[in-house]
């Protein structure tokens, strides 16, 4: 009986391996750049076309290859970097598997030119889908050039799977940045479709970081330096006030290799404890060096995780050294005894002078007279604590209380001349009105009549703000409680969308145009968003390579909010720009509404509260925020009655 097991032909095996190594153009960029670094190049040029889909070329001035090696490098498991398994534990190079070139050659058209310094002539090889097409002797400069064209030409399914050029370009950019940051002593340049994205002369870490991020990065960096037996740490963290909304600029390098580590990230974050606004992310660029035998990088080629021998020691050292740096540069309190925050004075009691307790005695009080006006209602002051009985989430906003909002707390409520005066304006003539028309929001008519002027109870104040979070307003059937943040999001969202669709946003001209600096990746995104942003009222002057110039802004934005809005937008769009312009507008409107909506914890004047409530109910879709959360709830008088009946 003939055997049914067969060895796969090399080109098939290579194609299968390629599935793991090469996922997208960025994978090719990574492999070729790393090979150039391993070849000890001091000058590396990356050229791509169509986000790398049509061309990825890397030209280096490294050691080059001999004629034999030039051919051998495309064979599977062909590597010059390790000879025996033990070498894995003292690895000083990026590559070691000898898989990359074989894999790439299996799924693309590839051209290689290489020459070693001492040789007169070099080698020029063309290989397509693992088949050698030609090999010639050629006059070449020292070093190696790999050009990879038509990626996945023979695997249409994989080719179709690639994302838009914008997304693929971002991946390429990520890989380029990682390698360029890890090797500041190498001159890197990068061209996309003929235009220069980066030209980074050999430099130190700081200059390289600034070169890659943006001109404004320099002033944000705080150096970190630590030398111990088990680890050396060099690099920079950013001052807390420059923390960003997204995690875009967080880099760990271990022995010059970019890695991701949730654990070490946690160490950094804990060093910033108490210094960051909620949810904001500090940028960091940390270059760790550990003895090669204390880590295990023998992992999947495309993975960036790493295993350390003594993780918890690294954690402690990293945390301490960053804390120290932040402290030294006066951005953090140096002393920190892991305070128990439960022992802190509650915020709203801080700086409030203690009052000597007094006893109020009403000398005129006579229990045997019938005169109600004599009664004291001092107890009603405790009634104000009732508002804190709302749901648990209110406790999170508790710290946002300013002392002033609490001043009513310590005040003794003066005896009211007559308790009826508390209810002045309540429609007492027609008490049945309360019972009629139970309130349903599904019903359009009821909704639209909600705030007819004569429907709102005619008290002097129509709305009340509680916990700087909710606006309460009496309505015919009871009361409505509006979440100020979500309501405002809804209002702004509809406004922006309307402006964008009818394209008639008005903008305010800035006296001094704003220069806003961004990284190359961000600049690219902004360029694509510009047309949509202009429909909201932004006016841009011609932008430079690393910054945009904003000369006009939408009317509902203040100058100081501009950079926040754009940053939020970039962070919201991190996962790729939506394909259709409709959803792009929607994303922009949502993002801007999110940044600009009045926050929980903001005090609103009576007029602002009023505008907010009216604005909400003038919306097309007042019931939910743009993020599908309820914007208000109602409470009918019967519901309240029930609570009192208990
Ligand atoms: P690995 O990097 O894991 O060794 P590769 O398939 O990426 O495997 O490369 C195979 C071999 O080809 C390398 O070990 C190296 O000897 C040679 N090589 C690849 N790229 C270059 C380059 N740019 N300059 C000189 N030699 C190179
Ligand atoms: Mg390699």
């Amino acid at each position: 009986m003939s055997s049914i097991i067969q060895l796969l032909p090399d080109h098939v095996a290579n194609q299968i391996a390629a599935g793991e190594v090469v996922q997208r153009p960025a994978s090719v960029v990574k492999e070729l750049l790393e090979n150039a670094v391993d070849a000890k190049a001091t000058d590396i040029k990356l050229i791509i076309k169509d986000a790398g889909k049509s061309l990825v070329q890397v030209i280096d001035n490294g050691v080059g290859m001999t004629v034999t090696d030039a051919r051998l490098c495309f064979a599977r498991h062909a590597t010059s970097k390790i000879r025996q398994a033990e070498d894995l534990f003292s690895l000083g190079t990026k590559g070691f598997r000898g898989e990359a070139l074989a894999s790439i050659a299996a799924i693309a058209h590839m051209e290689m030119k290489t020459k070693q310094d001492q040789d007169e002539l070099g080698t020029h090889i063309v290989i397509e889908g693992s088949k050698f097409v030609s090999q010639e002797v050629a006059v070449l400069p020292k070093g190696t050039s790999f050009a990879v064209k038509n990626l996945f030409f023979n695997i249409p399914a994989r080719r179709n799977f690639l994302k838009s050029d914008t997304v693929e370009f971002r991946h390429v950019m990520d890989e380029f940045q990682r390698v360029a940051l890890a090797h500041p002593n190498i001159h890197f340049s990068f061209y996309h479709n003929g235009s220069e994205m980066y030209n980074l002369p050999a430099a130190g870490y700081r200059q390289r970081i600034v070169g890659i991020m943006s001109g404004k990065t320099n002033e944000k960096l705080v150096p970190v330096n630590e030398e111990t037996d088990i680890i050396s740490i060099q690099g920079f963290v950013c001052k807390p006030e420059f923390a960003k909304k997204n995690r875009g600029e967080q880099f760990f390098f271990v022995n010059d290799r970019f890695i991701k580590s949730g654990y070490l990230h946690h160490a950094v974050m804990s060093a910033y404890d108490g210094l960051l606004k909620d949810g904001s992310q500090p940028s960091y660029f940390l270059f760790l060096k550990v003895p090669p035998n204390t880590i295990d990088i023998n992992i999947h080629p495309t993975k960036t995780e790493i295993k350390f021998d003594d993780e918890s020691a690294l954690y402690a050292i990293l945390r301490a050294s960053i804390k120290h740096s932040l402290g030294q540069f006066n951005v953090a309190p140096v002393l920190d005894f892991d305070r128990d925050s439960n022992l802190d004075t509650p915020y709203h009691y801080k700086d409030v002078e203690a009052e000597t307790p007094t006893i109020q005695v009403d000398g005129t009080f006579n229990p045997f007279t019938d005169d109600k006006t004599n009664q004291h209602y001092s107890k009603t002051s405790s009634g104000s604590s009732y508002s804190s009985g709302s749901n648990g989430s209110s406790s999170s906003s508790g710290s946002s209380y300013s002392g002033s909002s609490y001043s009513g707390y310590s005040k003794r409520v003066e005896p009211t001349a007559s308790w009826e005066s508390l209810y002045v304006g309540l429609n007492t003539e027609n008490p049945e009105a309360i019972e009629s028309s139970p309130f349903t929001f599904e019903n359009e008519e009821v909704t639209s009549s909600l705030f007819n002027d004569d429907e709102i109870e005619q008290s002097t104040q129509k709305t009340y703000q509680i916990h700087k979070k909710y606006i309460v307003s009496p309505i015919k059937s009871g009361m409505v409680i509006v979440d100020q943040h979500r309501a405002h999001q809804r209002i702004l969202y509809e406004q922006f969308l309307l402006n964008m669709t009818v394209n008639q946003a008005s903008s305010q001209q800035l006296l001094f145009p704003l220069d806003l600096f961004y990284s190359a990746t961000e600049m690219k995104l902004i360029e694509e968003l510009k047309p949509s942003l202009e429909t909201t009222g932004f006016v841009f002057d011609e932008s430079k390579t690393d910054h945009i110039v904003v000369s006009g802004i939408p009317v509902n934005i203040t100058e100081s909010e501009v950079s926040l809005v754009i940053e939020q937008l970039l962070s919201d769009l991190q996962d790729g720009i939506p394909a259709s312009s409709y959803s792009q507008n929607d994303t922009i409107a949502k993002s801007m509404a999110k940044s600009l909506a009045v926050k929980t914890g903001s005090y609103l004047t009576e007029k602002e509260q009023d505008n907010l409530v009216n604005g909400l109910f003038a919306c097309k879709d007042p019931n939910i925020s743009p993020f599908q959360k309820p914007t208000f709830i109602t409470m009918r008088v019967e519901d309240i009655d029930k609570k009192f009946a208990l």
Side-chain angles (χ1 to χ4, degrees), residues 16 43 62 84 102 171 187 212 217 231 256 361 397 520 525 556 570 618 622:
I16 295 170
D43 192 328
Q84 46 200 9
H171 286 288
H187 175 192
I212 287 198
T217 307
I231 189 171
D256 301 336
V361 181
S397 65
L525 254 176
N556 31 15
L570 291 170

Side-chain angles (χ1 to χ4, degrees), residues 44 52 193 213 257 337 341 396 399 428 446 640:
I44 299 176
N193 292 337
M213 292 309 154
R257 186 189 290 270
F337 300 105
S341 55
S396 65
S399 63
T428 44
V446 181
I640 303 172

Side-chain angles (χ1 to χ4, degrees), residues 35 39 60 65 73 78-81 95-98 100-101 144 146:
N35 278 347
D60 70 54
M65 282 178 264
C73 73
T79 179
S80 56
K81 298 169 192 175
F96 58 88
R97 299 169 164 267
L101 293 180
T144 307
F146 278 101

Side-chain angles (χ1 to χ4, degrees), residues 481-497:
I481 305 175
V482 175
D483 179 314
Q484 63 185 43
H485 179 58
R486 291 181 188 173
H488 200 205
Q489 280 184 343
R490 164 55 59 183
I491 297 169
L492 290 172
Y493 170 70
E494 292 200 3
Q495 252 172 30
F496 282 125
L497 263 194

Side-chain angles (χ1 to χ4, degrees), residues 75 92 117 126 199 230 245 286 302 328 369 391 520 524 536 552 575 596:
D117 203 16
V126 178
N199 189 354
I230 59 166
K245 293 256 175 212
L286 295 163
T302 56
Q328 258 197 336
T369 64
N391 65 31
K524 184 122 200 316
T536 69
D575 300 325
L596 294 168

